[in-house]
Amino acid sequence: MDKSILEKIKFNSEGLVPVVTQSYYTGKVLMQAYANKEAIQKTIETGYATYYSRSRKSLWIKGETSGNKQKVVKIKIDCDEDSILYLVKDYKVACHTGEESCFYREINLKKPEKPDAYEIFHALYEKLLQRKIEKPEGSYVAKLFEKGSDKIIQKVGEEAVETVIALKNKDKKEIIYETSDLIFHLIVALVDAGVKLEDIQDELLKRYR
């Protein structure tokens, strides 16, 4: 990472800058903390998210004791150059409560019943993986996994054909419905094959020109 970013940051009177930490793959905002120049330097040098504790008045590496370290992929700076963003991966949870994100509640302090739109694919992957492991009675997905890979692959093929037909007919409602079916069953197939969505994202990034 480029240390020249340090010369651009406008630290406050205490020598600190707010740091928003975000998942590199899902886009989920994980936490907000502070960093001083030394913390950012250490983040750049080690590749792991380091912050400054205002209560302890010392540096702290996220996950140093819990094992939930945050591998920093990128550091971004906002338009006013007085706030930075850590994009991280290879973490388990970010919140001391055990939640993935510190922002796990809505303003009414209740946990949302469904994921936000931007994280639906990763949330769906985790839900389908859970179905495979737990095998809940009456679950369509659990039964699909029990039938084996051939049946799952067959379903992907069937949904692909139906999506192609919908596209050919230019029926917007059917295109949306069949594409959703196709993506759903394709993610089931990825779970079955042990392929993570992160693997697909990395491959697509290689193809981005």
Side-chain angles (χ1 to χ4, degrees):
M1 293 179 209
D2 189 357
K3 289 188 179 182
S4 64
I5 189 174
L6 291 167
E7 307 307 318
K8 296 183 173 69
I9 298 171
K10 296 174 183 174
F11 295 93
N12 66 16
S13 58
E14 298 175 282
L16 302 176
V17 64
V19 182
V20 176
T21 306
Q22 182 179 20
S23 168
Y24 176 66
Y25 287 111
T26 70
K28 179 181 283 189
V29 175
L30 303 175
M31 56 181 282
Q32 188 268 323
Y34 289 85
N36 59 9
K37 191 171 185 178
E38 186 183 357
I40 299 170
Q41 284 176 322
K42 194 167 184 64
T43 297
I44 294 170
E45 290 167 4
T46 65
Y48 288 95
T50 305
Y51 307 92
Y52 181 82
S53 171
R54 293 175 296 169
S55 59
R56 297 193 301 270
K57 299 190 182 306
S58 62
L59 301 187
W60 60 286
I61 301 172
K62 178 66 179 177
E64 192 171 26
T65 55
S66 67
N68 294 321
K69 285 188 175 183
Q70 300 169 338
K71 180 67 176 175
V72 178
V73 181
K74 289 182 180 179
I75 300 177
K76 293 187 175 184
I77 189 168
D78 81 331
C79 58
D80 293 321
E81 300 173 348
D82 59 3
S83 181
I84 63 172
L85 177 72
Y86 285 169
L87 285 167
V88 303
K89 65 178 183 178
D90 298 340
Y91 65 91
K92 294 178 182 177
V93 298
C95 186
H96 72 282
T97 63
E99 296 288 340
E100 181 187 5
S101 168
C102 292
F103 299 95
Y104 64 92
R105 300 174 297 176
E106 295 184 359
I107 197 69
N108 59 9
L109 302 184
K110 293 182 180 179
K111 291 179 69 173
E113 295 181 2
K114 292 185 178 182
D116 294 319
Y118 67 86
E119 60 181 337
I120 183 59
F121 296 116
H122 284 271
L124 181 58
Y125 185 100
E126 292 302 321
K127 176 69 73 174
L128 296 176
L129 179 60
Q130 185 180 21
R131 291 284 190 269
K132 181 182 181 182
I133 295 170
E134 297 179 356
K135 302 179 177 63
E137 187 175 348
S139 166
Y140 164 75
V141 173
K143 289 179 181 177
L144 199 54
F145 280 121
E146 286 177 7
K147 291 177 181 178
S149 298
D150 287 348
K151 181 61 178 178
I152 294 171
I153 294 167
Q154 180 186 333
K155 282 297 296 181
V156 173
E158 290 172 0
E159 299 302 341
V161 170
E162 291 176 7
T163 301
V164 169
I165 293 171
L167 288 166
K168 182 69 175 175
N169 292 337
K170 299 189 184 303
D171 185 324
K172 186 175 180 179
K173 185 177 180 180
E174 282 300 304
I175 290 171
I176 293 170
Y177 184 87
E178 297 300 345
T179 299
S180 298
D181 262 353
L182 174 58
I183 292 173
F184 181 92
H185 287 90
L186 183 57
I187 295 177
V188 172
L190 292 176
V191 171
D192 183 62
V195 176
K196 295 182 178 180
L197 291 183
E198 290 93 328
D199 299 326
I200 306 300
Q201 287 174 287
D202 286 338
E203 179 60 31
L204 289 173
L205 281 169
K206 291 176 185 177
R207 303 183 188 194
Y208 184 81
R209 296 290 186 271

